[in-house]
Amino acid sequence: MSAIKLSAPSDELVHALHQPAVCIIAQGAKRVMLRDEVYSYDASRFLVFSTDLPISAQVTHAKPGEPYLCFRLDLDPAEISELVLQLGPPPARRTATPRGLFLSSVSNGMLDAAIRLMHLLDSPEDVAALAPLATRELVYRLLRSEQGERLAQVARADSHAGRVMRAVSRLKSNFAEPLKVDDLARECCMSTSSLHHHFRAVTSMSPLQYQKQLRLQEARRLLLSEGIEVSKAGYSVGYESASQFSREYSRLFGVPPSKDVSRFEMMAG
């Protein structure tokens, strides 16, 4: 778990691979983009990532007297599965999409559990004993929320969402390798067409597009955080063509890799 505080809106989009988590804003506002989809939220709604998703994000409301305050709790599929087995499945509700990213209204019970977890950040000696209790309560309330069925589906290994999670895990571990979608589908016990359909339904992209996002985000990390040369960054994440790497990098991040590095160095300096 972690708490995030910002005293001003973000000047630029932050690109990241976001792991499964629930994000609850206490003050301020933020927007998260999954390709062309925009998820805007504030203290009235919480955001859940039920699977790993490459996103871009921006804090849209924050100021020194009213800073952006957000609580984030990473979600453990094993813990979700345990609760589903113990309590039974959440009430089935008709949802517009099985997307692995969704917003829902915050309940008083969820806020109470989140506040108790945030208070524990100031008393680390109590974390080991009390955090698991509040975490379990928060996950329970997520499962009982209006979108709880979508979270429970991911924790079921035999569900379509669970198989997509398996494909996501495989792509995360081997994104630099050439992708053979037929082999990936067999590993996940799905037909190729079924994998394409359900993978896109959960992530908003095809397995190949998802792999491309992973490659480009890792290449950017190598360029900006580790100072790897542009000529080597693309090859290290699986690109065989420097021009293709530069073209797709520009499409995702808005500037070619060399200009992105120069801009970053100017901001850091």
Side-chain angles (χ1 to χ4, degrees):
M1 61 181 174
S2 60
I4 304 160
K5 179 180 179 180
L6 289 175
S7 298
S10 308
D11 293 330
E12 297 185 358
L13 292 175
V14 175
H15 298 267
L17 178 67
H18 207 298
Q19 67 188 74
V22 55
C23 303
I24 301 175
I25 291 178
Q27 188 170 262
K30 185 177 186 177
R31 61 174 180 146
V32 172
M33 281 72 74
L34 178 64
R35 304 195 77 199
D36 296 331
E37 300 172 2
V38 179
Y39 297 78
S40 298
Y41 69 117
D42 53 22
S44 67
R45 297 193 290 178
F46 64 89
L47 183 71
V48 169
F49 292 83
S50 60
T51 190
D52 296 88
L53 290 172
I55 55 94
S56 55
Q58 187 174 31
V59 171
T60 56
H61 182 79
K63 51 187 177 180
E66 298 178 10
Y68 168 80
L69 301 172
C70 180
F71 170 75
R72 166 179 163 169
L73 177 69
D74 293 336
L75 297 174
D76 181 0
E79 184 174 14
I80 296 170
S81 297
E82 180 186 341
L83 269 174
V84 171
L85 287 172
Q86 179 181 342
L87 305 171
R93 293 181 172 91
R94 180 175 295 179
T95 55
T97 171
R99 193 74 81 231
L101 172 61
F102 58 86
L103 295 164
S104 194
S105 300
V106 176
S107 68
N108 290 333
M110 284 185 61
L111 279 177
D112 183 56
I115 289 170
R116 280 184 276 120
L117 281 167
M118 282 192 288
H119 283 324
L120 286 174
L121 293 173
D122 296 324
S123 54
E125 69 277 7
D126 296 329
V127 169
L130 299 180
L133 301 175
T135 297
R136 187 176 179 85
E137 179 185 345
L138 183 52
V139 173
Y140 166 80
R141 296 191 181 281
L142 280 174
L143 288 168
R144 287 294 180 256
S145 71
E146 60 184 356
Q147 302 284 1
E149 170 64 13
R150 293 168 67 174
L151 187 60
Q153 282 290 335
V154 175
R156 297 180 185 133
D158 61 343
S159 69
H160 292 307
R163 293 188 177 103
V164 169
M165 281 278 286
R166 204 181 312 169
V168 164
S169 179
R170 175 72 172 78
L171 288 171
K172 282 176 58 185
S173 300
N174 302 277
F175 62 82
E177 298 178 4
L179 176 59
K180 298 180 180 179
V181 179
D182 291 346
D183 292 344
L184 181 63
R186 279 193 294 272
E187 288 183 32
C188 300
C189 302
M190 303 175 78
S191 68
T192 301
S193 60
S194 180
L195 174 63
H196 270 289
H197 173 75
H198 293 289
F199 195 98
R200 186 178 291 276
V202 172
T203 69
S204 86
M205 59 195 85
S206 69
L208 185 60
Q209 290 168 331
Y210 187 97
Q211 181 197 47
K212 184 186 299 183
Q213 292 259 345
L214 295 183
R215 286 180 168 184
L216 292 171
Q217 290 204 13
E218 173 60 11
R220 192 171 196 242
R221 186 192 69 81
L222 293 173
L223 288 169
L224 304 186
S225 299
E226 299 191 12
I228 290 181
E229 296 178 5
V230 172
S231 59
K232 295 181 180 178
Y235 292 111
S236 69
V237 299
Y239 279 92
E240 297 181 357
S241 165
S243 60
Q244 182 185 7
F245 168 61
S246 181
R247 183 169 58 252
E248 294 185 352
Y249 189 103
S250 300
R251 189 176 298 130
L252 179 60
F253 300 119
V255 291
S258 56
K259 287 188 177 180
D260 201 16
V261 172
S262 298
R263 184 177 61 176
F264 178 78
E265 290 175 345
M266 288 180 61
M267 293 173 60

